[in-house]
Amino acid sequence: MPNQKPRVRRVPVAMPEGATAEQPWYRTIRFSGFSLIMLAIVVLFVVVLAPSLRTLIQQQEQIAQKQHEVAAQKSDVAQKKKDVARWDDPAYIEAQARDRLLYVYPGEQSFLVMGDGESAGTGDTKPTTDSGTPVSATVQTPKVDWVQAMMSSVLQSGLSKETAQELVAPEVSGTGSTGK
C-alpha cells in the first residue's frame, strides 16, 4: 500500500499570551464563492452603469443651461413687448421725435447747444475726442486725398511681395504732418 496518503492529524494550537501573529491584515480575509460572485456583480454593475450615469449628469446640466437661456429670453421678450407698447402712446412718440430727430412744432424755434456746458471761469480745459486728441475751434480741410491714399494702399498691398506684417498703413489723419 504505497499509494496511500499519510494521515495528517490537525491539532489546535493556542498562541501564548502577549504574542501576536506576524501576518498582515489582508491575510486574515477569507473569500467564499458567494462573496466573489457578489463582488463580480458589483464591479459589473459599476462598469455598465458608469457611462450611463455620466450621460445623465451631462444631460441634466444641459437641461439646466437651456432652462436658464429660456428664462433670459422670456424676460427679453417681455421687455421688448413693453417697449412696443410704449410706442402706442402719442406722447411717447412726440417725445422721441423731439429728442432723436430734433423735430419741433411749426412756430417753435429749436436751439442745439454744442459743448459740454463749461462755466465761464473754467475756460482752460479744451474739449477732446474719445481718443483724447484735442478738438480744434476752426474748421480744417484735410491735406490728404483719402481716395488716392486708399487706392495706393490697395495697389501696394496687392502688388507687393511683402508679408502683411511688413506692410505699414499710410498716414491719413488729415493734418498733413507726419509728426517727424
Side-chain angles (χ1 to χ4, degrees):
M1 295 199 178
N3 289 341
Q4 287 185 344
K5 292 184 182 178
R7 256 184 167 179
V8 176
R9 184 174 159 197
R10 295 184 183 234
V11 178
V13 177
M15 299 281 291
E17 284 188 34
T20 61
E22 296 294 326
Q23 293 182 358
W25 65 270
Y26 55 85
R27 291 276 188 169
T28 59
I29 297 175
R30 298 194 187 264
F31 287 107
S32 67
F34 178 75
S35 62
L36 286 176
I37 289 173
M38 290 310 292
L39 180 65
I41 288 173
V42 167
V43 168
L44 181 65
F45 187 70
V46 168
V47 168
V48 168
L49 286 184
S52 299
L53 288 175
R54 190 183 82 214
T55 304
L56 175 70
I57 292 170
Q58 287 176 346
Q59 288 175 348
Q60 292 293 332
E61 289 175 357
Q62 288 175 352
I63 289 171
Q65 180 184 9
K66 295 298 181 187
Q67 287 174 342
H68 179 69
E69 289 176 9
V70 166
Q73 289 177 352
K74 282 184 179 179
S75 66
D76 187 40
V77 166
Q79 180 63 37
K80 292 199 184 303
K81 284 183 179 179
K82 287 179 186 177
D83 290 343
V84 168
R86 287 173 48 186
W87 282 97
D88 289 336
D89 184 15
Y92 181 74
I93 294 172
E94 178 183 338
Q96 291 299 312
R98 286 178 174 265
D99 288 343
R100 292 185 184 183
L101 304 174
L102 305 174
Y103 281 9
V104 293
Y105 283 113
E108 290 183 345
Q109 290 184 350
S110 176
F111 295 99
L112 182 61
V113 179
M114 303 294 285
D116 58 354
E118 295 178 16
S119 61
T122 60
D124 297 339
T125 60
K126 292 189 175 189
T128 59
T129 62
D130 292 338
S131 63
T133 58
V135 176
S136 173
T138 61
V139 176
Q140 298 177 358
T141 58
K143 296 182 175 77
V144 175
D145 182 13
W146 66 271
V147 175
Q148 176 73 24
M150 183 182 71
M151 287 305 295
S152 67
S153 173
V154 169
L155 291 174
Q156 180 183 4
S157 64
L159 299 175
S160 175
K161 294 186 190 306
E162 297 176 347
T163 63
Q165 290 79 17
E166 294 172 348
L167 292 173
V168 179
E171 169 64 33
V172 290
S173 64
T175 59
S177 63
T178 58
K180 293 181 182 175

